[in-house]
């Protein structure tokens, strides 16, 4: 990877003096490269004052990286030549491979990758627009308009499957914003987004990695590099496209990669502290913010402004985003009271009034006082309007002031003068973060605090393997069910859950009515009655469930009814017997489900159960395992969270105890491994301090269950 991204020597196969050709542009774009460039083309002896070689074998050395700027038909032979010589990396511009989707194109791509891997060559592409290393000047790409521009190396690196979107972001260099790398992978047939991220994590000059991602062939690698970045304190910001059904189809035809579910990707991002941005206009400001800040010292944000309206807007926005805006400490208020006029309201947000516009020294004292308050991890300064000279003077003053502060200053620029000398001063300053929206400013600070929480928790808990015997039961029972082409019965599911110390309803499988009556007598009325069958998953709709049976006569009648009903189900189901269960008390119903995602493994869903899961779809999605603390946070993030604390007379529940139960279920899901396709625990009935699994379904892997639902 280092020879591909940081080569000391580069050969351009297909080099050309023809104006506008990929070969000509590539040579021009290497104007600042600190190493050696070898043009390769048998038709020329010299190109652009450089000696041109007929082929790679004629070069005086084996190049670290070879750029193949030839038509598709010459790519395979050139890759074979690179592999035979021991070239480190290859960049293939040509399109017409797997992104077309035809068997011929897929085979052509597979051949060049097999050749490259056999020779130990890392290959970027095909269909790749190139790689840019601003630190060394190895700007290996074919786009026009870059030759001769000043390179501004910096701590932000950009990784992208496509080229255009990344190159558009790099145009911010024209405003003086620095970048260290731009690395495109095209079809990602060999080198992909995760390879680039992994390389950049080990690069001391990189602090923030922006990834434009359409899809991955192996999402678990993203989790691995994401965890490595979290440990190394490198921030990853992902802009994931292909979330909609239409977008996913475009992504497949554009890059030949598979797009996993949007929910699974977002859960994966949250698992390892990756900042997710759905819109391009959020990406650059968020990236430069993270490149300029350290770690937050607290959770609060201070706001200093000269506009009362913006102060109110900031307070509203903080509430909307859950971003604390605590009041200044008593010492801070006393310090501010000494310098501000008597009619100023000393609070947070702090409206300094128009007095500071005439006295920058007064403004400095206000900012310094707020920055010294330990309740604030950052100060936001909304700028409502900008008179050219005054805005310039203020920008210089704020940047000088920021150099001596212990907290970052975030400028929320609300003026419609979008690009001027003042804005460029802010953007280029190493300690001042610049946003053209107060919303984006607050979201970046919120995500900064959130990521630090993920980083700290990732060090605090690792789940130790415990239930060795229970895991063997899981594998054996799922293996048996898979061989019989069936899902686990409710009773089998509960048996496995109980082995993980997860409370379930007491129940007994009975051969006939008399056995059911005896079981009910032992369990105690009221009871529920169900037909147990591996072929009936939606038992309620099938009419083979009776609830709240309070005495023997009712149970006998129910047994007769469900057995008769089962006889009319087509095709005839296998009947294991009558399942008699204790009736759970009324309470809040919670659902915990999971499915096995081909990208990321187990994906877990937590939400309100019973009818609410279908009516409101009020769920949180996460990758297991989760700690008790994380489970409680997920519950508190539900829209129906007020139900947890009691609503309109309903009793409150022990949310911490429920979180502990969900944490144990998450370990169970992890131990299911890839042996299952779907799991549904619905409902878990919660009453006060107690919680109990009432019903459950587990579908082994390899079984098609989309047409079946559980009752």
């Amino acid at each position: 990877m280092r020879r591909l991204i940081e080569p000391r020597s580069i050969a351009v196969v297909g080099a050309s003096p023809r104006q506008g050709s990929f070969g000509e542009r590539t040579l021009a774009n290497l104007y600042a490269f600190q190493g050696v460039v070898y043009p390769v083309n048998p038709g020329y002896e010299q190109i652009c004052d450089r000696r041109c070689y007929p082929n790679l074998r004629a070069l005086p050395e084996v190049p670290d990286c070879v750029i193949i700027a030839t038509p598709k038909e010459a790519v395979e032979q050139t890759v074979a030549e690179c592999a035979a010589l021991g070239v480190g990396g290859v960049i293939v511009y040509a399109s017409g491979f797997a992104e077309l989707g035809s068997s011929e194109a897929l085979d052509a791509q597979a051949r060049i990758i097999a050749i490259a891997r056999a020779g130990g060559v890392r290959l970027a592409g095909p269909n790749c627009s190139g790689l840019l290393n601003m630190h060394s000047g190895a700007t290996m790409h074919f786009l026009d308009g870059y030759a001769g521009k000043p390179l501004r190396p910096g701590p932000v690196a950009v990784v992208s499957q496509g080229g255009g979107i990344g190159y558009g972001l790099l145009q911010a260099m024209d405003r003086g914003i620095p970048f260290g790398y731009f690395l495109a992978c095209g079809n990602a047939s060999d080198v992909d987004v995760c390879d680039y991220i992994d390389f950049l994590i080990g690069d001391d000059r990189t602090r923030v990695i922006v990834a434009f991602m359409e899809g991955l062939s192996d999402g678990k690698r993203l989790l691995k590099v994401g965890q490595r970045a979290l440990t190394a304190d490198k921030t990853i910001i992902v802009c994931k496209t292909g979330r909609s059904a239409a977008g996913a189809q475009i992504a497949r035809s554009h890059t030949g990669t598979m797009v996993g579910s949007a929910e699974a990707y977002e859960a994966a991002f949250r698992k390892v502290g990756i900042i997710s941005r759905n819109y391009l206009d959020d990406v650059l400001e968020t990236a430069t913010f993270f490149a300029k800040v350290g770690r937050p010292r607290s959770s609060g944000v201070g706001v200093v402004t000269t506009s009362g309206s913006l102060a109110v807007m900031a307070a509203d926005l903080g509430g909307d985003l859950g971003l604390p805006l605590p009041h200044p400490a008593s010492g801070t208020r006393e310090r501010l009271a000494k310098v501000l006029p008597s009619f100023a309201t000393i609070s947070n947000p702090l409206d300094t009034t128009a007095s500071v516009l005439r006295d920058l020294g007064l403004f400095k004292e206000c900012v310094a006082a707020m920055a010294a308050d330990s309740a604030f991890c950052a100060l936001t300064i909304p700028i409502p309007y900008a008179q050219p000279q005054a805005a310039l003077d203020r920008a210089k003053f704020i940047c000088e002031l920021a150099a001596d502060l212990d907290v970052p200053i975030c400028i929320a620029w609300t003026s419609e003068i979008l690009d001027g000398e003042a804005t460029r001063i802010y953007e280029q300053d190493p300690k001042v973060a610049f946003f053209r929206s107060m919303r984006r400013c607050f979201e970046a600070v919120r995500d900064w605090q959130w990521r630090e929480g993920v980083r700290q928790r990732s060090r605090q808990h690792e789940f130790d393997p415990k239930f060795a015997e229970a895991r063997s039961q899981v594998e054996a029972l799922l293996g048996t069910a898979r061989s019989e082409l069936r899902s686990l019965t409710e009773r089998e599911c509960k048996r496995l859950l109980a082995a993980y110390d997860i409370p379930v309803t007491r129940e007994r499988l009975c051969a006939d009515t008399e056995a059911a009556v005896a079981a009910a007598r032992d369990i105690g009325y009221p009871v529920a009655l169900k037909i147990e069958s591996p072929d009936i998953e939606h038992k309620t709709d099938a009419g083979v469930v009776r609830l709240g049976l309070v005495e023997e006569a009712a149970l006998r009648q129910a047994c007769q009814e469900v057995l008769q009903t089962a006889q009319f189900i087509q095709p005839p189901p296998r009947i294991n017997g009558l399942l008699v269960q204790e009736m759970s008390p009324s309470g809040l119903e919670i659902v915990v489900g999971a499915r096995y995602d081909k990208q990321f493994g187990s994906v877990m869903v937590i939400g309100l159960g019973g009818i609410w899961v279908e009516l409101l779809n009020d769920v949180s999605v996460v990758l297991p395992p989760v700690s008790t603390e994380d489970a409680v946070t997920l519950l508190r993030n539900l829209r129906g969270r007020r139900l947890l604390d009691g609503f309109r007379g309903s009793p409150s529940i022990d949310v911490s105890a429920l979180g502990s139960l969900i944490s144990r279920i998450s370990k169970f899901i992890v131990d299911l491994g890839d042996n299952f396709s779907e799991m549904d625990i619905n409902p878990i009935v919660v009453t006060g301090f107690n919680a109990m699994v009432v019903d459950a379904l587990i579908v082994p892997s390899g079984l098609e269950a989309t047409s079946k639902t559980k009752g």
Side-chain angles (χ1 to χ4, degrees):
M1 289 295 291
R2 189 163 298 281
R3 293 179 72 191
L4 174 68
I5 298 171
E6 291 189 350
R8 293 168 297 177
S9 56
I10 300 170
V12 181
V13 177
S16 170
R18 182 168 56 85
Q19 191 72 23
S21 67
F22 282 8
E24 183 270 336
R25 289 180 184 173
T26 300
L27 290 175
N29 287 335
L30 289 168
Y31 66 95
F33 179 51
Q34 299 166 11
V36 183
V37 177
Y38 298 110
V40 177
N41 190 324
Y44 302 93
E45 295 184 357
Q46 185 170 328
I47 298 177
C48 300
D49 298 326
R50 291 188 174 103
R51 179 184 173 184
C52 187
Y53 296 84
N55 52 58
L56 292 172
R57 294 184 301 276
L59 298 180
E61 63 174 320
V62 175
D64 283 332
C65 183
V66 172
I67 303 170
I68 302 179
T70 67
K72 172 188 174 182
E73 290 72 22
V75 168
E76 185 173 334
Q77 179 182 347
T78 307
V79 172
E81 192 174 355
C82 291
L85 291 172
V87 169
V90 169
I91 300 170
V92 179
Y93 289 159
S95 57
F97 290 89
E99 77 278 4
L100 297 182
S102 67
S103 59
E104 180 183 357
L106 290 167
D107 289 344
Q109 179 166 300
R111 287 196 303 273
I112 66 170
I113 294 310
I115 293 169
R117 289 178 176 167
V121 179
R122 298 311 305 266
L123 188 146
N127 192 28
C128 178
S129 58
L131 282 64
L132 288 80
N133 182 334
M134 263 66 79
H135 299 287
S136 69
T139 48
M140 304 173 285
H141 66 111
F142 59 77
L143 266 71
D144 195 14
Y146 279 84
K149 286 189 175 183
L151 300 180
R152 305 179 187 275
V156 177
V158 181
V159 175
S160 179
Q161 285 178 288
I165 192 171
Y167 283 116
L169 193 70
L170 288 188
Q171 289 186 313
M173 288 193 297
D174 292 346
R175 304 202 307 269
I177 296 178
F179 292 89
Y181 300 88
F182 173 69
L183 309 174
C185 51
N187 286 4
S189 59
D190 177 40
V191 175
D192 63 9
V193 168
C194 291
D195 287 312
Y196 286 142
I197 292 175
D198 194 48
F199 172 85
L200 293 167
I201 292 170
D203 181 71
D204 293 338
R205 298 164 298 192
T206 301
R207 292 193 61 201
V208 179
I209 303 164
V210 174
F212 293 102
M213 183 185 301
E214 296 167 6
L216 293 172
S217 59
D218 184 359
K220 293 177 183 178
R221 291 184 60 227
L222 179 66
L223 291 173
K224 184 176 180 179
V225 297
Q227 185 60 53
R228 184 169 172 239
L230 198 62
T231 302
D233 206 12
K234 300 286 183 81
T235 302
I236 300 176
I237 300 168
V238 167
C239 184
K240 171 72 172 67
T241 58
R243 296 186 306 278
S244 66
Q249 181 61 43
I250 293 171
R252 281 194 294 271
S253 62
H254 179 48
T255 64
T257 59
M258 294 298 291
V259 178
S261 82
E263 294 81 8
Y265 271 95
E266 290 297 329
F269 298 157
R270 290 192 296 270
K271 183 75 172 180
V272 291
I274 292 175
I275 308 299
S276 177
R277 287 290 181 268
N278 291 334
Y279 304 104
L280 186 59
D281 57 0
D282 292 10
V283 171
L284 179 60
E285 292 175 349
T286 305
T288 54
F289 167 79
F290 274 94
K292 294 178 180 182
V293 299
R295 293 175 181 167
R297 69 184 186 186
S298 62
S299 61
V301 176
V303 180
V304 180
T305 183
T306 60
S307 167
S309 296
L310 284 180
V312 175
M313 291 174 64
D316 290 343
L317 189 58
D320 292 342
L321 297 177
L323 188 64
L325 273 64
H327 287 296
S330 58
T332 306
R333 294 196 300 270
E334 291 173 4
R335 183 174 172 181
L336 291 169
K338 292 178 180 179
V339 296
L340 286 173
S342 58
F343 53 84
T345 301
I346 299 175
S347 62
N348 183 35
L350 176 66
D351 179 8
T352 60
T353 74
S355 303
V356 300
L357 298 177
R358 301 187 300 271
D359 186 351
L360 288 178
L362 174 58
F363 180 73
K364 177 179 180 179
E365 180 60 25
C366 292
V367 172
M370 294 286 279
D373 195 320
S374 61
F376 307 133
C377 66
L379 291 185
T380 294
I381 302 178
I383 306 293
Y385 57 90
Q387 296 174 344
Q389 188 58 48
L392 181 60
D393 292 341
R394 183 187 299 181
K396 293 178 179 178
F397 181 80
I398 289 177
C399 291
E400 291 173 2
L401 179 60
D404 298 324
L405 298 179
D406 294 330
V407 295
I409 286 182
C410 303
I411 299 297
W413 186 268
T414 62
S415 168
E416 285 301 312
I417 299 179
L418 299 180
D419 186 20
E421 194 170 355
T423 63
R424 295 193 176 204
I425 288 175
Y426 288 128
E427 287 187 310
Q428 295 173 24
D429 188 85
K431 289 199 68 175
V432 174
F434 181 79
F435 298 87
R436 287 184 172 82
S437 158
M438 194 185 302
R439 175 189 60 82
R440 295 204 294 263
C441 174
F442 276 21
E443 286 177 343
V445 175
R446 177 201 61 189
D447 290 346
W448 179 39
Q449 296 172 350
W450 166 79
R451 181 185 174 278
E452 177 63 14
V454 175
R455 191 188 68 82
Q456 291 182 1
R457 289 195 298 276
S458 70
R459 294 185 173 186
Q460 288 176 357
H461 72 272
E462 288 290 339
F463 292 109
D464 296 327
K466 287 184 178 179
F467 305 101
E469 184 178 346
R471 282 198 299 274
S472 64
Q473 292 183 38
V474 167
E475 293 177 359
L477 195 51
L478 283 170
T480 299
R482 186 182 301 108
S483 66
E484 297 174 356
L485 301 178
R486 66 175 180 84
S487 299
L488 266 63
T489 66
E490 176 185 338
R491 180 172 53 89
E492 290 172 327
C493 293
K494 289 179 178 177
R495 190 175 87 198
L496 295 180
L497 292 168
Y500 280 77
D501 296 334
I502 297 165
V504 299
T505 52
R506 292 178 297 152
E507 58 193 20
R508 187 181 302 174
L509 183 64
C510 305
D512 52 31
T513 299
E514 294 306 320
V517 170
R521 192 178 300 120
D522 292 341
I523 292 173
Y525 289 99
V527 295
L529 178 72
K530 304 175 182 178
I531 289 286
E532 178 175 291
S533 169
D535 303 319
I536 306 175
E537 290 178 357
H538 207 315
K539 296 184 290 292
T540 301
D541 283 357
V544 291
V545 175
R546 298 293 184 272
L547 303 176
L549 304 173
V550 297
E551 45 87 23
E552 181 178 323
L555 175 60
R556 289 182 178 277
Q557 178 66 28
C559 289
Q560 181 180 357
E561 291 174 356
V562 297
L563 289 170
Q564 288 178 346
T565 301
Q567 294 177 4
F568 293 96
I569 298 176
Q570 294 297 325
R574 292 167 286 180
I575 305 296
N576 293 341
L578 297 165
L579 191 62
V580 178
Q581 298 175 337
E582 68 172 310
M583 281 293 299
S584 63
S586 298
L588 179 64
E589 295 188 359
I590 299 293
V591 59
V592 176
R595 68 177 179 83
Y596 193 81
D597 182 82
K598 62 185 177 182
Q599 292 283 354
F600 300 107
S602 300
V603 181
M604 182 176 177
V605 175
I606 303 166
L608 296 176
I611 64 170
W612 299 108
V613 69
E614 297 180 4
L615 183 63
L616 298 180
N617 193 29
D618 187 10
V619 298
S620 295
V621 182
V622 67
L623 299 190
V626 297
S627 66
T628 296
E629 179 186 3
D630 289 339
V632 169
T633 299
L634 293 168
L635 290 167
R636 292 293 186 191
N637 286 339
L638 296 172
R639 295 193 302 275
R641 56 188 171 271
R642 292 176 63 187
L643 294 171
L644 303 172
D645 300 316
F647 183 70
R648 292 195 173 183
S650 62
S652 61
I653 66 169
D654 187 335
V655 181
S656 180
L658 177 59
S660 177
L661 173 62
I662 291 173
S663 178
R664 294 198 299 278
I665 293 174
S666 77
K667 298 178 188 180
F668 171 72
I669 294 171
V670 170
D671 283 351
L672 287 174
D674 60 357
N675 293 304
F676 84 110
S677 61
E678 299 176 28
M679 186 200 80
D680 188 23
I681 302 175
N682 182 26
I684 300 171
V685 175
V686 188
T687 55
F689 295 94
N690 300 313
M692 181 180 295
V693 172
V694 175
D695 204 351
L697 168 71
I698 301 175
V699 181
S701 57
L703 269 68
E704 178 59 50
T706 56
S707 63
K708 298 181 180 180
T709 56
K710 180 190 66 64

